[in-house]
Amino acid sequence: MINVVILGTGNVAKHLLDVFMTHDGIKVVQVYGRNQKALSVFGKYVPTTSEISKIILADIYIMAVSDDAIVEIASRLDLKEGLLVHTSGSIPMKSLPKNIRRGIFYPLQTFTVGRTVDFKEIPICIEAENDQDYGLLKQLASIISNKVVGMDSKQRKSLHLAAVMANNFTNHMYFLSNEFCEQKGIPFDLLHPLIKETAHKIQDLAPYDAQTGPARRNDKGTLKKHLAQLKNKNHKELYRLLSKSIRKTYGKKL
């Protein structure tokens, strides 16, 4: 049995609690948080505290907090035993105090309130300073995921950037597309099958081979017509930049 304390009350913390509670090999012994309202939700399932001095002993302490809060909270912890890890993709392991056992437990997924995710499909990137702690993190991660990857802080930083481009930037394009549809009186759900196919086909094709569209074909007439429909200057510039990047990728003259 691995005893875990979760530090944080946000989306990642709640998703971790939910999945940990479904496995007999893991016991969440406490959740720490500074937001009393958010902490009350966790209190329905496990013991909680808002006082950092009352955090109890555990095998692993998981900091599921914002990147800006990691160093500040870690510096206030007085851990005599146990392994302290955080779930950030961009903060290096060495940002944690060097006088304690430290590591990384980074689930590579987007977490949203009210949406359930299948942790078995989520890659979990781990890092530790010695074989014993690495083994402990691998044991914990393997209970909830089928994809556990050892990765140092430099690699993880690059992976996080790639994830932002693949997920956050893509979702923002969905937002702009939805906004445009609303302005034109077009149901956005007409695009759902297209969006699904775009995501599904890169499981079989390299993104390079999966690219389609007017920029890929260098259809200058269509590109010009699209730009004429866009009235927002920022949207025009974004369309130009992305189309230029696609055309350059496929060797089209600009």
Side-chain angles (χ1 to χ4, degrees):
M1 178 69 69
I2 301 176
N3 291 330
V4 173
V5 167
I6 297 175
L7 308 170
T9 55
N11 287 337
V12 177
K14 185 60 170 63
H15 278 86
L16 286 176
L17 175 66
D18 290 343
V19 71
F20 287 161
M21 288 178 61
T22 65
H23 293 278
D24 294 335
I26 307 170
K27 182 178 181 181
V28 178
V29 295
Q30 189 182 53
V31 173
Y32 161 79
R34 293 180 290 188
N35 185 321
Q36 290 285 0
K37 183 178 180 180
L39 194 62
S40 65
V41 176
F42 291 79
K44 298 175 184 178
Y45 310 101
V46 295
T48 63
T49 183
S50 60
E51 297 181 46
I52 205 162
S53 61
K54 292 186 178 180
I55 293 176
I56 63 177
L57 291 176
D59 299 309
I60 302 177
Y61 300 84
I62 301 180
M63 299 183 65
V65 298
S66 67
D67 288 2
D68 292 341
I70 289 174
V71 173
E72 187 269 327
I73 293 177
S75 67
R76 295 169 54 208
L77 293 170
D78 183 24
L79 302 181
K80 305 301 182 184
E81 299 179 33
L83 173 63
L84 177 65
V85 302
H86 69 65
T87 60
S88 169
S90 60
I91 303 299
M93 181 176 65
K94 290 185 177 179
S95 295
L96 298 176
K98 61 182 179 180
N99 62 326
I100 60 174
R101 292 163 55 199
R102 55 189 180 177
I104 300 296
F105 190 87
Y106 171 49
L108 180 57
Q109 185 55 279
T110 175
F111 296 100
T112 305
V113 174
R115 288 195 61 84
T116 301
V117 295
D118 183 2
F119 265 86
K120 286 296 182 182
E121 300 295 325
I122 297 176
I124 298 182
C125 303
I126 60 174
E127 182 182 5
E129 293 186 300
N130 58 65
D131 291 342
Q132 181 179 353
D133 288 341
Y134 183 89
L136 179 60
L137 286 179
K138 186 174 182 180
Q139 181 184 354
L140 176 66
S142 297
I143 292 174
I144 64 173
S145 173
N146 291 328
K147 186 71 172 180
V148 182
V149 183
M151 185 173 292
D152 63 31
S153 292
K154 185 177 181 180
Q155 291 174 311
R156 181 168 38 82
K157 185 178 181 180
S158 297
L159 177 64
H160 185 256
L161 173 54
V164 167
M165 289 189 286
N167 174 51
N168 303 133
F169 290 173
T170 301
N171 188 74
H172 185 63
M173 295 307 299
Y174 294 158
F175 164 75
L176 295 180
S177 176
N178 182 65
E179 186 178 57
F180 183 78
C181 284
E182 289 181 345
Q183 292 171 356
K184 301 301 181 180
I186 301 169
F188 179 69
D189 61 12
L190 293 177
L191 297 176
H192 287 179
L194 174 66
I195 292 170
K196 291 178 181 178
E197 172 59 15
T198 302
H200 287 163
K201 68 181 177 179
I202 62 166
Q203 298 179 48
D204 303 312
L205 298 172
Y208 180 90
D209 297 322
Q211 186 69 55
T212 60
R216 171 68 175 86
R217 299 189 301 269
N218 199 28
D219 185 346
K220 296 179 181 178
T222 298
L223 294 173
K224 186 176 181 179
K225 291 175 184 177
H226 284 176
L227 283 170
Q229 291 185 69
L230 296 170
K231 306 306 178 184
N232 184 295
K233 291 182 179 180
N234 290 332
H235 297 172
K236 279 182 177 288
E237 182 63 18
L238 186 58
Y239 187 96
R240 287 194 185 97
L241 286 172
L242 290 173
S243 296
K244 181 179 179 180
S245 180
I246 293 170
R247 292 167 71 189
K248 185 176 181 180
T249 297
Y250 294 93
K252 308 299 183 183
K253 292 183 179 181
L254 304 178

